[in-house]
mmCIF file of all heavy atoms in Angstrom:
data_model
loop_
_atom_site.group_PDB
_atom_site.id
_atom_site.type_symbol
_atom_site.label_atom_id
_atom_site.label_comp_id
_atom_site.label_asym_id
_atom_site.label_seq_id
_atom_site.Cartn_x
_atom_site.Cartn_y
_atom_site.Cartn_z
ATOM 1 N N HIS A 1036 36.163 -10.115 37.104
ATOM 2 C CA HIS A 1036 36.033 -11.401 37.790
ATOM 3 C C HIS A 1036 36.155 -11.199 39.300
ATOM 4 O O HIS A 1036 35.220 -11.384 40.036
ATOM 5 C CB HIS A 1036 37.079 -12.402 37.303
ATOM 6 C CG HIS A 1036 36.847 -12.835 35.895
ATOM 7 N ND1 HIS A 1036 37.298 -12.113 34.817
ATOM 8 C CD2 HIS A 1036 36.188 -13.894 35.379
ATOM 9 C CE1 HIS A 1036 36.922 -12.707 33.704
ATOM 10 N NE2 HIS A 1036 36.251 -13.799 34.012
ATOM 11 N N ASP A 1093 32.036 -12.197 36.499
ATOM 12 C CA ASP A 1093 31.841 -13.621 36.231
ATOM 13 C C ASP A 1093 32.371 -14.465 37.379
ATOM 14 O O ASP A 1093 33.327 -14.073 38.050
ATOM 15 C CB ASP A 1093 32.574 -14.019 34.942
ATOM 16 C CG ASP A 1093 31.712 -13.765 33.711
ATOM 17 O OD1 ASP A 1093 30.594 -13.252 33.870
ATOM 18 O OD2 ASP A 1093 32.163 -14.094 32.609
ATOM 19 N N ASP A 1094 31.780 -15.609 37.548
ATOM 20 C CA ASP A 1094 32.219 -16.719 38.413
ATOM 21 C C ASP A 1094 31.595 -16.712 39.815
ATOM 22 O O ASP A 1094 31.291 -17.749 40.341
ATOM 23 C CB ASP A 1094 33.755 -16.827 38.538
ATOM 24 C CG ASP A 1094 34.425 -16.933 37.170
ATOM 25 O OD1 ASP A 1094 33.750 -17.364 36.220
ATOM 26 O OD2 ASP A 1094 35.608 -16.582 37.050
ATOM 27 N N SER A 1119 28.643 -19.625 39.155
ATOM 28 C CA SER A 1119 28.649 -21.043 38.768
ATOM 29 C C SER A 1119 28.234 -21.849 39.982
ATOM 30 O O SER A 1119 28.960 -21.917 40.986
ATOM 31 C CB SER A 1119 30.050 -21.464 38.307
ATOM 32 O OG SER A 1119 30.394 -20.773 37.145
ATOM 33 N N TRP A 1131 41.006 -23.613 37.237
ATOM 34 C CA TRP A 1131 42.183 -22.827 36.826
ATOM 35 C C TRP A 1131 42.960 -22.335 38.046
ATOM 36 O O TRP A 1131 44.178 -22.187 37.979
ATOM 37 C CB TRP A 1131 41.788 -21.666 35.920
ATOM 38 C CG TRP A 1131 40.733 -20.761 36.479
ATOM 39 C CD1 TRP A 1131 40.909 -19.699 37.312
ATOM 40 C CD2 TRP A 1131 39.319 -20.861 36.261
ATOM 41 N NE1 TRP A 1131 39.701 -19.125 37.628
ATOM 42 C CE2 TRP A 1131 38.708 -19.813 36.998
ATOM 43 C CE3 TRP A 1131 38.517 -21.722 35.520
ATOM 44 C CZ2 TRP A 1131 37.324 -19.615 37.015
ATOM 45 C CZ3 TRP A 1131 37.140 -21.512 35.538
ATOM 46 C CH2 TRP A 1131 36.564 -20.474 36.271
ATOM 47 N N HIS A 1246 25.956 -18.526 35.667
ATOM 48 C CA HIS A 1246 27.181 -18.770 34.883
ATOM 49 C C HIS A 1246 27.360 -20.295 34.771
ATOM 50 O O HIS A 1246 28.448 -20.798 34.937
ATOM 51 C CB HIS A 1246 28.348 -18.114 35.624
ATOM 52 C CG HIS A 1246 29.578 -17.881 34.812
ATOM 53 N ND1 HIS A 1246 29.570 -17.522 33.496
ATOM 54 C CD2 HIS A 1246 30.895 -17.947 35.157
ATOM 55 C CE1 HIS A 1246 30.819 -17.372 33.072
ATOM 56 N NE2 HIS A 1246 31.630 -17.641 34.057
ATOM 57 N N HIS A 1250 30.709 -24.475 35.198
ATOM 58 C CA HIS A 1250 31.622 -23.626 34.423
ATOM 59 C C HIS A 1250 32.305 -24.433 33.323
ATOM 60 O O HIS A 1250 33.504 -24.319 33.088
ATOM 61 C CB HIS A 1250 32.665 -22.962 35.334
ATOM 62 C CG HIS A 1250 33.269 -21.727 34.723
ATOM 63 N ND1 HIS A 1250 34.115 -21.769 33.637
ATOM 64 C CD2 HIS A 1250 33.135 -20.423 35.021
ATOM 65 C CE1 HIS A 1250 34.484 -20.542 33.327
ATOM 66 N NE2 HIS A 1250 33.892 -19.699 34.141
ATOM 67 N N TYR A 1285 27.850 -16.882 29.337
ATOM 68 C CA TYR A 1285 28.468 -18.102 28.801
ATOM 69 C C TYR A 1285 29.877 -18.261 29.387
ATOM 70 O O TYR A 1285 30.679 -17.328 29.279
ATOM 71 C CB TYR A 1285 28.606 -18.012 27.277
ATOM 72 C CG TYR A 1285 27.315 -17.761 26.547
ATOM 73 C CD1 TYR A 1285 26.961 -16.471 26.132
ATOM 74 C CD2 TYR A 1285 26.441 -18.796 26.255
ATOM 75 C CE1 TYR A 1285 25.771 -16.226 25.463
ATOM 76 C CE2 TYR A 1285 25.244 -18.562 25.587
ATOM 77 C CZ TYR A 1285 24.924 -17.273 25.193
ATOM 78 O OH TYR A 1285 23.748 -17.039 24.542
ATOM 79 N N PRO A 1286 30.213 -19.429 29.979
ATOM 80 C CA PRO A 1286 31.581 -19.610 30.459
ATOM 81 C C PRO A 1286 32.582 -19.433 29.312
ATOM 82 O O PRO A 1286 32.331 -19.881 28.197
ATOM 83 C CB PRO A 1286 31.600 -21.055 30.969
ATOM 84 C CG PRO A 1286 30.179 -21.353 31.293
ATOM 85 C CD PRO A 1286 29.371 -20.592 30.285
ATOM 86 N N PHE A 1287 33.674 -18.773 29.599
ATOM 87 C CA PHE A 1287 34.748 -18.441 28.634
ATOM 88 C C PHE A 1287 34.238 -17.450 27.578
ATOM 89 O O PHE A 1287 34.863 -16.432 27.355
ATOM 90 C CB PHE A 1287 35.382 -19.676 28.009
ATOM 91 C CG PHE A 1287 35.796 -20.694 29.048
ATOM 92 C CD1 PHE A 1287 35.072 -21.861 29.256
ATOM 93 C CD2 PHE A 1287 36.876 -20.451 29.874
ATOM 94 C CE1 PHE A 1287 35.425 -22.763 30.253
ATOM 95 C CE2 PHE A 1287 37.244 -21.342 30.867
ATOM 96 C CZ PHE A 1287 36.518 -22.502 31.054
ATOM 97 N N ASN A 1312 31.962 -12.956 25.779
ATOM 98 C CA ASN A 1312 33.247 -12.413 26.240
ATOM 99 C C ASN A 1312 34.125 -11.962 25.101
ATOM 100 O O ASN A 1312 35.315 -12.221 25.108
ATOM 101 C CB ASN A 1312 33.997 -13.468 27.054
ATOM 102 C CG ASN A 1312 33.968 -13.127 28.519
ATOM 103 O OD1 ASN A 1312 33.855 -11.959 28.878
ATOM 104 N ND2 ASN A 1312 34.045 -14.132 29.360
HETATM 105 ZN ZN1 ZN B 724 33.824 -17.621 34.142
#
Side-chain angles (χ1 to χ4, degrees):
H1036 291 84
D1093 274 2
D1094 305 336
S1119 295
W1131 54 85
H1246 198 36
H1250 202 291
Y1285 303 98
F1287 310 105
N1312 253 333

